[in-house]
Amino acid sequence: RDFMCPIFVFSCLFRLFRRCILFRLSALTDKTADKTLETVKYSKMEDTQTIAKKRKLDDEATDGSIPGVQTGLLQEFAQILPDATTSLSHLARVETARKKKVALFVSYIGRGYNGMQRNPGVNSIEEDLIVALWKTGAITEECRDKMDKMHFQRCARTDKGVSAAVNVVSLKMLLRENIIEDINSHLLPQIRAVGLVRTTKKFDCKLACSARSYEYLSPTFAFAPCFEKTRRDFRINDEILARVQTLFNKYKGTHRFHNFTSRIRPSDPSAQRYIMDFNCGQPFERQGMEFVVLRVKGQSFMLHQIRKMVGLVMVVAQGHANEDIIHRAWGGDKVDVPKAPALGLLLDRPFFDAYNKKFGTDGSHDCVDVSAFEDDVEKFKQKIYDTIIETEVKENSMMHWLGTLVQHDFVGNRTDVSVANRQETLRDVEATGDSNVEEQLDCKQSVVNPVFTQDTDACTASAGDEKLSTFPSRQ
């Protein structure tokens, strides 16, 4: 009995303590449930008030007012500045509207610009284009200052003075009716937005581009052999034209073009480039001169690559070097490759064959193809041609460039006499006017470089002779 009494008392105290704990927990649970119900109640009330407030703001917006601005203050402000309400409402729509990823087709004349890419303190095509997009309201001020905010990318980065019949940029922008006309209203006449198409969200015009084609408009006297006078009235014949086409055909395929650009080593993988086609068109006359259009298509091109490819063919066609210099330029040795003037070069168009095959036929996206704007592109290309021809006739850029070929060493074995003749001819070309440049470039430019000394039918006339005793080989 004495032993059981403490156990009984402990059991009673334990049961009492247990009931107190359960009662306390029950009270806390009830309070939590009440607070939850009260929170839900207030939340529903706030939602109702928010909906009512939103409907009120929408009703005000339909009357031309701006959400979040008191009507009386807005009316007073509108009396001072009548266009203020429109401008503020436009900015509000730009900030809140959902932007779409597009491919924007742009045509431009590169004369007077330092290339396509935007650089601080430099006059570029992208700078004018982005400012026009911002003034139109297609992009925000933040996107104007930070291009990565709108995922901006250009398909081809043209060099200084190079034009484009059509180039493509991809970006996120606000779409609305007549957006192309509004963009062009803020651009100079030499830059035109041709059109745009909606693309996928991850579309990148530089990565999605499968090929690019360029054109080079050149006077035909640039291909005149050494026994022909280099002058404006030169007219190319079928034999010379066929030989020029044969020289351009050598570029087709995959080769190492490290000698056709700068700061690229022969072992660098980026030196490998694939040329799909290189054609020489039929000659045509304009303003008393004969011109020809060269068209090249490849996967991608390096800095100055096309201009050096054209320049090297002109060197061979004129007789300054043998044809094997083209193959030597793909080897490991350093080869002096002259760079043709930038005036005649223009980007014809980019191609997106892989992207169009994958997404253009799915029924949800459009093909990124310039064919829909072909008429506008061809009209603008004619303006580029007219600008190039007019500038060439006025400035003689190709004629002066041909005079600088005497500075180059295409064989690596110049003598003291040849160096002196090169310097003398160059000084004469720089000192004389346009009327005497043709005479200075007659036989001297072919004689000063002893390229054909290994052949039996080499050019053997001296720098002072007016005629050549023998003609160079055409093989």
Side-chain angles (χ1 to χ4, degrees):
R1 185 185 305 176
D2 296 336
F3 176 76
M4 295 296 295
C5 183
I7 295 178
F8 176 75
V9 174
F10 178 78
S11 177
C12 291
L13 291 176
F14 176 78
R15 291 178 182 179
L16 180 62
F17 178 75
R18 179 184 174 188
R19 289 188 178 184
C20 291
I21 295 269
L22 293 175
F23 178 78
R24 183 62 180 171
L25 291 175
S26 178
L28 291 175
T29 304
D30 293 339
K31 287 183 179 181
T32 304
D34 293 340
K35 288 184 179 180
T36 303
L37 293 175
E38 186 177 358
T39 302
V40 172
K41 180 179 179 180
Y42 283 128
S43 178
K44 290 182 178 180
M45 293 176 62
E46 290 178 357
D47 293 341
T48 304
Q49 294 176 359
T50 302
I51 294 173
K53 184 178 180 180
K54 183 177 180 181
R55 289 178 179 176
K56 182 178 179 181
L57 293 175
D58 291 340
D59 294 339
E60 292 177 356
T62 56
D63 297 333
S65 60
I66 303 175
V69 181
Q70 295 181 0
T71 306
L73 180 62
L74 182 63
Q75 292 176 354
E76 182 179 355
F77 187 64
Q79 293 177 359
I80 301 175
L81 296 174
D83 297 335
T85 56
T86 304
S87 301
L88 291 174
S89 178
H90 169 67
L91 291 176
R93 288 196 302 269
V94 172
E95 294 291 341
T96 58
R98 187 176 180 182
K99 299 178 178 61
K100 305 296 183 182
K101 193 66 171 290
V102 300
L104 180 63
F105 296 86
V106 184
S107 302
Y108 53 87
I109 299 175
R111 186 182 182 185
Y113 287 90
N114 289 275
M116 172 68 177
Q117 188 173 5
R118 186 185 193 186
N119 291 304
V122 176
N123 188 22
S124 63
I125 301 294
E126 285 183 2
E127 180 67 30
D128 288 3
L129 178 61
I130 292 173
V131 171
L133 291 170
W134 171 69
K135 290 182 178 180
T136 306
I139 61 175
T140 62
E141 185 176 359
E142 183 182 10
C143 294
R144 181 200 65 181
D145 299 333
K146 299 180 180 179
M147 299 170 59
D148 57 336
K149 294 291 184 180
M150 57 179 171
H151 302 280
F152 187 92
Q153 184 61 270
R154 87 278 306 167
C155 181
R157 183 182 58 186
T158 53
D159 301 334
K160 178 181 178 181
V162 178
S163 304
V166 60
N167 201 350
V168 176
V169 297
S170 57
L171 73 157
K172 283 188 175 182
M173 57 180 288
L174 179 66
L175 299 180
R176 68 169 186 269
E177 190 176 358
N178 298 326
I179 186 66
I180 297 298
E181 290 77 3
D182 294 342
I183 295 174
N184 288 329
S185 64
H186 296 285
L187 289 170
L188 295 176
Q190 66 184 98
I191 305 177
R192 295 286 91 181
V194 181
L196 59 84
V197 294
R198 288 278 307 276
T199 62
T200 58
K201 294 181 180 180
K202 296 183 179 181
F203 176 77
D204 187 307
C205 62
K206 182 179 179 180
L207 299 178
C209 183
S210 56
R212 300 163 179 85
S213 65
Y214 284 80
E215 294 184 359
Y216 193 93
L217 183 61
S218 171
T220 55
F221 63 71
F223 302 100
C226 69
F227 56 86
E228 295 279 357
K229 279 184 174 293
T230 305
R231 51 193 305 165
R232 291 187 177 186
D233 59 357
F234 173 81
R235 296 296 180 263
I236 196 170
N237 55 41
D238 294 339
E239 183 180 358
I240 299 177
L241 194 65
R243 182 168 183 262
V244 170
Q245 181 61 64
T246 302
L247 294 175
F248 280 121
N249 288 338
K250 295 179 179 295
Y251 288 120
K252 293 182 181 179
T254 303
H255 306 285
R256 291 187 297 177
F257 288 93
H258 55 281
N259 278 314
F260 295 81
T261 185
S262 59
R263 297 186 296 272
I264 297 294
R265 296 181 178 180
S267 58
D268 196 330
S270 62
Q272 294 278 354
R273 302 288 163 155
Y274 175 54
I275 305 301
M276 301 177 181
D277 199 7
F278 211 141
N279 290 323
C280 179
Q282 292 298 320
F284 62 92
E285 294 187 19
R286 192 81 63 85
Q287 298 189 22
M289 295 177 60
E290 188 179 55
F291 293 86
V292 65
V293 178
L294 312 173
R295 296 181 178 87
V296 56
K297 181 179 180 181
Q299 284 185 342
S300 61
F301 298 93
M302 295 180 291
L303 179 67
H304 304 321
Q305 178 183 343
I306 298 177
R307 293 168 59 187
K308 288 200 171 189
M309 292 168 67
V310 173
L312 191 58
V313 170
M314 291 178 178
V315 167
V316 177
Q318 288 218 335
H320 291 277
N322 289 324
E323 295 184 9
D324 62 350
I325 191 174
I326 299 178
H327 296 279
R328 287 194 291 111
W330 297 329
D333 297 334
K334 180 66 177 178
V335 177
D336 188 3
V337 180
K339 181 173 55 180
L343 175 63
L345 183 62
L346 66 129
L347 172 64
D348 180 35
R349 67 191 59 198
F351 298 88
F352 301 89
D353 299 336
Y355 174 85
N356 294 335
K357 184 178 180 180
K358 184 176 181 180
F359 298 103
T361 57
D362 60 358
S364 301
H365 303 90
D366 298 327
C367 290
V368 182
D369 192 357
V370 73
S371 59
F373 321 104
E374 192 69 39
D375 295 338
D376 295 334
V377 171
E378 288 298 325
K379 291 180 181 178
F380 196 88
K381 184 188 289 187
Q382 293 302 319
K383 294 181 180 179
I384 299 177
Y385 285 170
D386 295 339
T387 302
I388 294 175
I389 294 173
E390 181 181 355
T391 306
E392 177 63 36
V393 172
K394 182 180 179 180
E395 299 180 358
N396 290 319
S397 60
M398 181 61 72
M399 190 77 73
H400 286 289
W401 177 79
L402 292 175
T404 64
L405 293 180
V406 295
Q407 298 179 353
H408 297 268
D409 181 17
F410 303 112
V411 292
N413 58 350
R414 293 186 299 182
T415 63
D416 295 337
V417 176
S418 65
V419 173
N421 289 335
R422 291 169 190 268
Q423 296 175 352
E424 178 185 358
T425 305
L426 181 61
R427 287 194 300 266
D428 294 342
V429 171
E430 294 177 349
T432 55
D434 294 339
S435 59
N436 297 327
V437 168
E438 299 170 356
E439 298 178 1
Q440 297 291 335
L441 296 177
D442 185 11
C443 295
K444 284 185 179 181
Q445 63 179 3
S446 300
V447 177
V448 293
N449 195 341
V451 175
F452 299 98
T453 54
Q454 299 177 357
D455 300 334
T456 56
D457 51 351
C459 293
T460 58
S462 63
D465 295 338
E466 296 181 357
K467 296 183 180 179
L468 296 176
S469 58
T470 55
F471 293 155
S473 174
R474 284 183 159 183
Q475 297 178 357

